[in-house]
Amino acid sequence: MSERSAAPGALVLVQDLVNTLDLESGADTLDTADGRARFGLPEGDAAGIESARTLREALRAALLAHAGHPPHRGVVPLGTLLAKAPLVVTVDPADGSAALAPVDGGALLSRVAAAVAEGGAAGTWIRLKACEATDCHWAYYDRSPAGRGRWCSMQVCGARAKMRRYRSKRPRPQPKRAWTRQEPKRATEPQPGGS
């Protein structure tokens, strides 16, 4: 879990959706009414909730790829899901700026598709990543100058990874052997006629 600041613009929706599941504890906020309401998922819509979970894990796999990691499990490719999202180009009459917007307004898939498109155009999508820790995979926005952040939190996931690496490189202590007393060797007496 991250102490980092939120992703810019509409990507905060993607970040928040991915972070609805805490892999370490197994807690899923989509199991709660408040958690579903945050994403506009109606009560009793089991298919919609399952679609949101499928979308969440496809997004997590894409964010892992942004960080250079393979998917955490088999998922429906994000592009396949987003291809089903109807978007429309809108033009602001006041300043002529264009943007992608969901055709169906509140549908989660369309809002995520518009956020990904906006982030792609702004160059921010690629910096939204998932933590490399296998028991975390929390979404975070990488604001590091080189864009090489690896963990959602240096204090938690980063420290754990560094400690594991340190311990794996440390020489293993040799098992202690039982100590047995040995009699000292006695000098042999010279033999007569010998040198």
Side-chain angles (χ1 to χ4, degrees):
M1 289 168 227
S2 180
E3 72 276 351
R4 294 179 184 246
S5 58
L11 284 180
V12 74
L13 170 67
V14 174
Q15 183 178 17
D16 288 348
L17 179 59
V18 171
N19 291 344
T20 58
L21 177 64
D22 182 339
L23 293 178
E24 192 170 26
S25 70
D28 186 347
T29 58
L30 293 181
D31 289 337
T32 68
D34 288 342
R36 290 186 296 272
R38 284 182 56 206
F39 299 99
L41 299 171
E43 283 296 315
D45 182 10
I49 294 166
E50 192 53 39
S51 293
R53 287 187 172 120
T54 300
L55 177 59
R56 173 183 66 199
E57 297 313 313
L59 286 164
R60 188 183 318 278
L63 302 187
L64 281 166
H66 290 173
H69 304 293
H72 60 301
R73 66 180 192 184
V75 297
V76 177
L78 183 58
T80 301
L81 293 174
L82 296 183
K84 299 174 188 172
L87 299 175
V88 63
V89 176
T90 61
V91 179
D92 186 329
D95 66 4
S97 62
L100 282 175
V103 169
D104 47 7
L108 180 60
L109 179 63
S110 295
R111 288 184 294 137
V112 166
V116 170
E118 177 188 308
T124 55
W125 166 242
I126 199 73
R127 285 192 172 242
L128 188 58
K129 299 178 179 181
C131 181
E132 97 175 18
T134 57
D135 59 345
C136 181
H137 293 322
W138 202 253
Y140 68 94
Y141 189 75
D142 184 3
R143 295 184 188 279
S144 66
R148 293 187 190 157
R150 298 171 63 184
W151 301 289
C152 64
S153 166
M154 190 56 217
Q155 287 72 28
V156 179
C157 293
R160 288 176 183 169
K162 289 181 175 197
M163 185 55 70
R164 277 191 296 272
R165 189 172 63 239
Y166 168 75
R167 287 182 179 154
S168 73
K169 290 181 180 181
R170 236 177 35 194
R172 299 272 183 219
Q174 296 297 321
K176 294 186 177 189
R177 297 182 185 182
W179 185 76
T180 58
R181 182 177 171 129
Q182 295 180 353
E183 293 295 322
K185 293 185 180 180
R186 296 180 186 233
T188 57
E189 305 243 350
Q191 300 292 327
S195 47

